[in-house]
Amino acid sequence: MTTDDFEAERIASIDLPSNQLAAVEVGAAQIAEAVVGSDDSTPDNLAPFGKGYLWALYIGWFAIYIAFVTPIAFSLAIRVEQVAPDAKDSALALAAGIPGIFAIVLTPLIGALSDRTRSRLGRRRPWMIAGLTLGLVGSLAVGLAPNASIVVVGWTLAYVGYTAASSMTLAHLGDKLPENQRGKVLGITGAISQMAPLAGVLVGGALSSNGLAMFAIPAILAFLGSIVFLVRMKDDARTEKPVVTSKAVEARKLLVGMVFNPRRYPNLGWVWLSKALIFFALSFSSLYTVYFIASRFGLEPLEVAGMLGIAGILGVGAGVGGAIGSGILSDKFGTRKPFLIAAAFIMAGGLVVTALSTSIPMFLIGNAISALATGVYGAVDQALALDVLPREEDENGRFLGILQLGSTVPQAFGPLVAGLILATFGGEYASVYFGGAILAILGAIAIIPITVGRRAELPTTSLQVPTK
């Protein structure tokens, strides 16, 4: 596998967040590299993206993420409470968890099918159009749902659709984005993935009294905004028959490819486990936030939206600062583990502060602490993940896919586990945050056995700090 192939695989395997704190984690390394990185990379044969093309990409990405992440942050909880007020806790856990399970299975399958797609519209564009259409249909179903069951079905359709559209955009960047533009472009998309939900929460709050509008308007914005990019998308027409190779799409091969022996690759196993535990904690920290602050502080939906907007702005700022600072320092000192361990413990502290908050400022402080830790963890975790790839196997794409499961699986099953914890503790929302804190501490412990030394020999640092 060439360097360009590896970078393309790396772009295509970037995690897709389903809540605001997860977005901070996912975008941390990309944002840090964009701010302090260097474009001195070796040029490749790919044509650079022009300003107009990049603006179309950013508009489409922003539009998708308004409809993709906002429901988990705010509007899905409001809609569930509207249709099933007496069973909102369990219904929300199902509505947030079941779509993720489907996405785990379907996303790699869609990616593999897109690789072999031959059409006049290209390889990625047809699947992106299908995903956006499914997202629109599913969102309308949620807005019109008469009961919680239809909400679950509708959001499952929408979630799978938006996941497909997002993953196809990333796959396209892996196909076409020149190496010397990757740091900045991915940094900006990482920032957009954090900012878009903030705008979405404010829009959702303003429309919270109308369930249909709360889901329909973001979905329509996602569809229309993405058309701006789809029209300009450089996805070349491919009509030749695909060559039959050993990479033919087979569900069994895809599943087998996601299995590895942690005893053979212990460092990879520990990184995967730590990542999974942290993302479980992140999924716990966001699921019941709307209900928690509404009941704890007696706020109405519009007030909740405003508070979440403030918390999000503070969180993004803290997360970006943590990402940049930790990235620079981890490269300077040539070590990863201390930053990851500290970040996980700080995250646990932030979740405890949130659980114990008796005032709005205290809640905002707890959320900002968690976001700071998430930014630190996200920047350094991705660098450590690259350090531990078994490169001698020449299967970087496969191992990156395995590491990606460390975030997608918890985001799918985390809401279901959180629902069980909430039921066990009699509906006390603070119990979910305490559970997340315990998981974060376990995530810190899982870092300790990793033995990559003070610095891996290969240049896989999270930041490219200018030497001049």
Side-chain angles (χ1 to χ4, degrees):
M1 176 178 287
T2 66
T3 301
D4 288 346
D5 290 336
F6 172 56
E7 288 297 325
E9 291 279 10
R10 181 184 173 189
I11 291 173
S13 66
I14 291 175
D15 301 319
L16 297 174
S18 66
N19 60 69
Q20 284 178 276
L21 275 182
V24 171
E25 201 279 349
V26 168
Q30 285 75 28
I31 292 172
E33 187 171 348
V35 173
V36 300
S38 172
D39 278 341
D40 295 330
S41 53
T42 303
D44 49 33
N45 295 323
L46 298 174
F49 285 8
K51 290 184 178 180
Y53 194 85
L54 289 173
W55 273 109
L57 167 67
Y58 299 147
I59 291 171
W61 193 255
F62 183 86
I64 289 175
Y65 266 72
I66 283 183
F68 180 30
V69 182
T70 300
I72 300 297
F74 176 75
S75 53
L76 190 61
I78 299 297
R79 187 65 184 137
V80 166
E81 187 172 25
Q82 289 174 347
V83 300
D86 296 331
K88 63 180 183 180
D89 295 335
S90 58
L92 180 59
L94 292 173
I98 290 177
I101 297 173
F102 277 91
I104 289 174
V105 177
L106 294 177
T107 300
L109 183 61
I110 291 172
L113 288 171
S114 73
D115 288 338
R116 295 173 55 78
T117 295
R118 299 295 183 267
S119 78
R120 296 189 180 279
L121 294 176
R123 292 192 298 171
R124 315 300 183 188
R125 188 186 282 111
W127 293 94
M128 190 172 176
I129 293 172
L132 290 166
T133 302
L134 189 61
L136 178 59
V137 172
S139 295
L140 292 176
V142 174
L144 294 169
N147 54 56
S149 297
I150 302 301
V151 169
V152 173
V153 172
W155 181 239
T156 298
L157 294 176
Y159 187 92
V160 170
Y162 292 132
T163 301
S166 301
S167 63
M168 287 300 97
T169 305
L170 289 173
H172 173 67
L173 295 181
D175 294 338
K176 298 291 187 178
L177 185 63
E179 187 176 352
N180 61 2
Q181 285 187 306
R182 286 171 186 166
K184 288 184 177 179
V185 171
L186 291 176
I188 293 173
T189 58
I192 290 172
S193 67
Q194 298 183 38
M195 296 297 183
L198 302 182
V201 167
L202 296 178
V203 171
L207 302 172
S208 58
S209 61
N210 188 320
L212 177 58
M214 186 168 55
F215 276 83
I217 290 179
I220 293 171
L221 288 175
F223 195 88
L224 296 178
S226 297
I227 289 177
V228 175
F229 178 60
L230 285 168
V231 170
R232 301 200 60 172
M233 191 176 183
K234 299 175 183 177
D235 194 12
D236 302 328
R238 303 186 68 170
T239 56
E240 77 280 7
K241 291 184 179 180
V243 178
V244 178
T245 68
S246 60
K247 294 183 178 180
V249 178
E250 297 179 12
R252 182 174 178 274
K253 286 185 178 181
L254 288 173
L255 293 175
V256 170
M258 292 296 103
V259 177
F260 75 103
N261 185 351
R263 296 184 64 181
R264 184 177 179 183
Y265 309 111
N267 285 333
L268 185 70
W270 286 115
V271 169
W272 191 97
L273 180 60
S274 175
K275 189 180 189 74
L277 290 167
I278 293 299
F279 268 88
F280 260 115
L282 292 178
S283 70
F284 279 26
S285 68
S286 61
L287 181 64
Y288 292 113
T289 299
V290 171
Y291 298 160
F292 173 75
I293 61 179
S295 62
R296 181 67 62 92
F297 306 118
L299 302 180
E300 296 298 322
L302 184 57
E303 296 172 314
V304 170
M307 184 172 171
L308 288 178
I310 295 172
I313 292 171
L314 294 175
V316 169
V320 172
I324 296 172
S326 63
I328 293 174
L329 292 175
S330 71
D331 281 345
K332 180 178 180 180
F333 294 113
T335 185
R336 317 283 192 208
K337 289 171 57 176
F339 292 91
L340 292 171
I341 294 170
F345 276 108
I346 293 171
M347 183 184 298
L351 292 173
V352 170
V353 171
T354 299
L356 298 176
S357 59
T358 55
S359 65
I360 291 177
M362 187 174 178
F363 172 85
L364 295 175
I365 290 172
N367 185 81
I369 292 173
S370 297
L372 172 67
T374 302
V376 173
Y377 190 93
V380 184
D381 166 64
Q382 292 197 32
L384 183 63
L386 296 178
D387 288 344
V388 302
L389 287 179
R391 294 173 186 267
E392 69 279 2
E393 299 291 340
D394 195 26
E395 294 183 337
N396 287 330
R398 173 195 167 207
F399 288 113
L400 285 170
I402 290 171
L403 288 171
Q404 189 176 30
L405 287 178
S407 65
T408 55
V409 169
Q411 289 188 84
F413 289 95
L416 303 178
V417 178
L420 291 175
I421 292 176
L422 186 64
T424 301
F425 287 90
E428 176 52 59
Y429 296 116
S431 65
V432 177
Y433 291 93
F434 286 125
I438 293 172
L439 288 169
I441 292 172
L442 293 176
I445 295 173
I447 292 293
I448 296 174
I450 296 173
T451 56
V452 294
R454 288 183 57 81
R455 169 60 57 86
E457 295 180 0
L458 295 171
T460 57
T461 57
S462 59
L463 304 173
Q464 300 173 3
V465 182
T467 57
K468 295 180 181 180

PDB file of all heavy atoms in Angstrom, residues 79 83-84 142 144-152:
ATOM      1  N   ARG A  79     -38.983  15.180  20.629  1.00  0.00           N
ATOM      2  CA  ARG A  79     -40.019  14.479  19.856  1.00  0.00           C
ATOM      3  C   ARG A  79     -40.514  13.242  20.585  1.00  0.00           C
ATOM      4  O   ARG A  79     -41.721  12.950  20.592  1.00  0.00           O
ATOM      5  CB  ARG A  79     -39.461  14.095  18.471  1.00  0.00           C
ATOM      6  CG  ARG A  79     -40.513  13.509  17.533  1.00  0.00           C
ATOM      7  CD  ARG A  79     -41.564  14.529  17.200  1.00  0.00           C
ATOM      8  NE  ARG A  79     -42.626  13.976  16.376  1.00  0.00           N
ATOM      9  CZ  ARG A  79     -43.905  14.216  16.562  1.00  0.00           C
ATOM     10  NH1 ARG A  79     -44.294  15.017  17.565  1.00  0.00           N
ATOM     11  NH2 ARG A  79     -44.819  13.700  15.763  1.00  0.00           N
ATOM     12  N   VAL A  83     -44.532  12.327  21.885  1.00  0.00           N
ATOM     13  CA  VAL A  83     -45.384  11.195  21.482  1.00  0.00           C
ATOM     14  C   VAL A  83     -45.492  10.130  22.558  1.00  0.00           C
ATOM     15  O   VAL A  83     -46.429   9.320  22.533  1.00  0.00           O
ATOM     16  CB  VAL A  83     -44.874  10.563  20.170  1.00  0.00           C
ATOM     17  CG1 VAL A  83     -44.877  11.585  19.045  1.00  0.00           C
ATOM     18  CG2 VAL A  83     -43.489   9.959  20.334  1.00  0.00           C
ATOM     19  N   ALA A  84     -44.541  10.083  23.509  1.00  0.00           N
ATOM     20  CA  ALA A  84     -44.574   9.039  24.544  1.00  0.00           C
ATOM     21  C   ALA A  84     -44.071   9.596  25.865  1.00  0.00           C
ATOM     22  O   ALA A  84     -43.039   9.163  26.389  1.00  0.00           O
ATOM     23  CB  ALA A  84     -43.736   7.836  24.119  1.00  0.00           C
ATOM     24  N   VAL A 142     -40.387  10.826  11.282  1.00  0.00           N
ATOM     25  CA  VAL A 142     -40.273  11.170  12.709  1.00  0.00           C
ATOM     26  C   VAL A 142     -41.185  12.346  13.035  1.00  0.00           C
ATOM     27  O   VAL A 142     -41.891  12.348  14.057  1.00  0.00           O
ATOM     28  CB  VAL A 142     -38.814  11.507  13.067  1.00  0.00           C
ATOM     29  CG1 VAL A 142     -38.727  12.005  14.515  1.00  0.00           C
ATOM     30  CG2 VAL A 142     -37.920  10.293  12.884  1.00  0.00           C
ATOM     31  N   LEU A 144     -43.914  13.257  11.633  1.00  0.00           N
ATOM     32  CA  LEU A 144     -45.326  12.910  11.527  1.00  0.00           C
ATOM     33  C   LEU A 144     -45.713  11.746  12.424  1.00  0.00           C
ATOM     34  O   LEU A 144     -46.892  11.363  12.457  1.00  0.00           O
ATOM     35  CB  LEU A 144     -45.657  12.548  10.072  1.00  0.00           C
ATOM     36  CG  LEU A 144     -45.544  13.680   9.049  1.00  0.00           C
ATOM     37  CD1 LEU A 144     -45.641  13.126   7.635  1.00  0.00           C
ATOM     38  CD2 LEU A 144     -46.628  14.738   9.288  1.00  0.00           C
ATOM     39  N   ALA A 145     -44.774  11.171  13.143  1.00  0.00           N
ATOM     40  CA  ALA A 145     -45.015   9.943  13.910  1.00  0.00           C
ATOM     41  C   ALA A 145     -46.096  10.129  14.965  1.00  0.00           C
ATOM     42  O   ALA A 145     -46.059  11.097  15.733  1.00  0.00           O
ATOM     43  CB  ALA A 145     -43.728   9.481  14.576  1.00  0.00           C
ATOM     44  N   PRO A 146     -47.044   9.171  15.036  1.00  0.00           N
ATOM     45  CA  PRO A 146     -48.072   9.240  16.066  1.00  0.00           C
ATOM     46  C   PRO A 146     -47.659   8.558  17.363  1.00  0.00           C
ATOM     47  O   PRO A 146     -48.324   8.706  18.390  1.00  0.00           O
ATOM     48  CB  PRO A 146     -49.248   8.492  15.415  1.00  0.00           C
ATOM     49  CG  PRO A 146     -48.584   7.482  14.541  1.00  0.00           C
ATOM     50  CD  PRO A 146     -47.320   8.122  14.035  1.00  0.00           C
ATOM     51  N   ASN A 147     -46.576   7.785  17.311  1.00  0.00           N
ATOM     52  CA  ASN A 147     -46.145   7.050  18.502  1.00  0.00           C
ATOM     53  C   ASN A 147     -44.637   6.822  18.464  1.00  0.00           C
ATOM     54  O   ASN A 147     -43.966   7.116  17.454  1.00  0.00           O
ATOM     55  CB  ASN A 147     -46.878   5.706  18.622  1.00  0.00           C
ATOM     56  CG  ASN A 147     -46.751   4.868  17.360  1.00  0.00           C
ATOM     57  OD1 ASN A 147     -45.650   4.578  16.901  1.00  0.00           O
ATOM     58  ND2 ASN A 147     -47.894   4.489  16.781  1.00  0.00           N
ATOM     59  N   ALA A 148     -44.109   6.266  19.558  1.00  0.00           N
ATOM     60  CA  ALA A 148     -42.661   6.090  19.677  1.00  0.00           C
ATOM     61  C   ALA A 148     -42.111   5.070  18.688  1.00  0.00           C
ATOM     62  O   ALA A 148     -40.976   5.204  18.221  1.00  0.00           O
ATOM     63  CB  ALA A 148     -42.316   5.667  21.105  1.00  0.00           C
ATOM     64  N   SER A 149     -42.894   4.056  18.359  1.00  0.00           N
ATOM     65  CA  SER A 149     -42.418   3.024  17.428  1.00  0.00           C
ATOM     66  C   SER A 149     -42.089   3.624  16.068  1.00  0.00           C
ATOM     67  O   SER A 149     -41.064   3.297  15.453  1.00  0.00           O
ATOM     68  CB  SER A 149     -43.475   1.922  17.271  1.00  0.00           C
ATOM     69  OG  SER A 149     -43.698   1.265  18.496  1.00  0.00           O
ATOM     70  N   ILE A 150     -42.946   4.511  15.576  1.00  0.00           N
ATOM     71  CA  ILE A 150     -42.702   5.153  14.287  1.00  0.00           C
ATOM     72  C   ILE A 150     -41.512   6.104  14.388  1.00  0.00           C
ATOM     73  O   ILE A 150     -40.749   6.255  13.421  1.00  0.00           O
ATOM     74  CB  ILE A 150     -43.957   5.900  13.801  1.00  0.00           C
ATOM     75  CG1 ILE A 150     -45.135   4.941  13.696  1.00  0.00           C
ATOM     76  CG2 ILE A 150     -43.699   6.555  12.455  1.00  0.00           C
ATOM     77  CD1 ILE A 150     -44.891   3.775  12.742  1.00  0.00           C
ATOM     78  N   VAL A 151     -41.340   6.729  15.534  1.00  0.00           N
ATOM     79  CA  VAL A 151     -40.164   7.577  15.734  1.00  0.00           C
ATOM     80  C   VAL A 151     -38.892   6.748  15.584  1.00  0.00           C
ATOM     81  O   VAL A 151     -37.936   7.154  14.902  1.00  0.00           O
ATOM     82  CB  VAL A 151     -40.200   8.259  17.122  1.00  0.00           C
ATOM     83  CG1 VAL A 151     -38.850   8.907  17.427  1.00  0.00           C
ATOM     84  CG2 VAL A 151     -41.294   9.311  17.175  1.00  0.00           C
ATOM     85  N   VAL A 152     -38.874   5.563  16.203  1.00  0.00           N
ATOM     86  CA  VAL A 152     -37.698   4.693  16.122  1.00  0.00           C
ATOM     87  C   VAL A 152     -37.442   4.274  14.675  1.00  0.00           C
ATOM     88  O   VAL A 152     -36.312   4.342  14.182  1.00  0.00           O
ATOM     89  CB  VAL A 152     -37.873   3.452  17.018  1.00  0.00           C
ATOM     90  CG1 VAL A 152     -36.728   2.470  16.795  1.00  0.00           C
ATOM     91  CG2 VAL A 152     -37.946   3.861  18.483  1.00  0.00           C
TER      92      VAL A 152
END
